[in-house]
Amino acid sequence: MGNLKIEKTLNEAGKRNVVVVDEDYNIVEEITLFLHYLEEKGHSENTIEGYSRDLKEYFTWLNEVGLKFYEVRKADMFSWLEYLKTKVGKTDKEKSAKTKNK
């Protein structure tokens, strides 16, 4: 799984969805399943799009460190937090506790 990107789609009912795809436009199924779960729970489109951005970054980090999402241990999370701090968004500004916890 190389570079990931977010794509907006329309489902069969004409409702807008977001999916995360790899460079070959293969849908990242684990992310799609979670986003669908959020949709079923009634979360807003903005909330779902926010999670898609966060998960895109998380899965990019997983790829960089050579882990699958189910292999992550507590000790690995320090590496994720460092990645979040140095490579995501504004790297000259400390991330809020809300961002880190999310």
Side-chain angles (χ1 to χ4, degrees), residues 1-2 4 20 28-32 34 51-70 80 83:
M1 198 180 318
L4 300 178
V20 177
V28 181
E29 185 177 4
E30 297 87 354
I31 295 175
T32 300
F34 183 71
Y51 273 102
S52 71
R53 287 188 299 273
D54 296 340
L55 288 167
K56 175 184 120 7
E57 294 296 349
Y58 184 66
F59 274 70
T60 298
W61 168 76
L62 287 173
N63 185 56
E64 285 189 16
V65 296
L67 290 171
K68 302 289 184 198
F69 75 94
Y70 51 82
W80 161 244
Y83 179 88

Side-chain angles (χ1 to χ4, degrees), residues 7 13 15 28 31-33 47 52 64 68 79 85 87 89:
E7 293 290 328
K15 186 174 182 199
V28 181
I31 295 175
T32 300
L33 290 171
T47 297
S52 71
E64 285 189 16
K68 302 289 184 198
S79 172
K85 178 180 176 183
K87 295 187 179 179

Side-chain angles (χ1 to χ4, degrees), residues 21-37:
V21 297
D22 65 16
E23 66 273 0
D24 296 322
Y25 287 90
N26 296 309
I27 292 173
V28 181
E29 185 177 4
E30 297 87 354
I31 295 175
T32 300
L33 290 171
F34 183 71
L35 297 177
H36 180 71
Y37 164 79

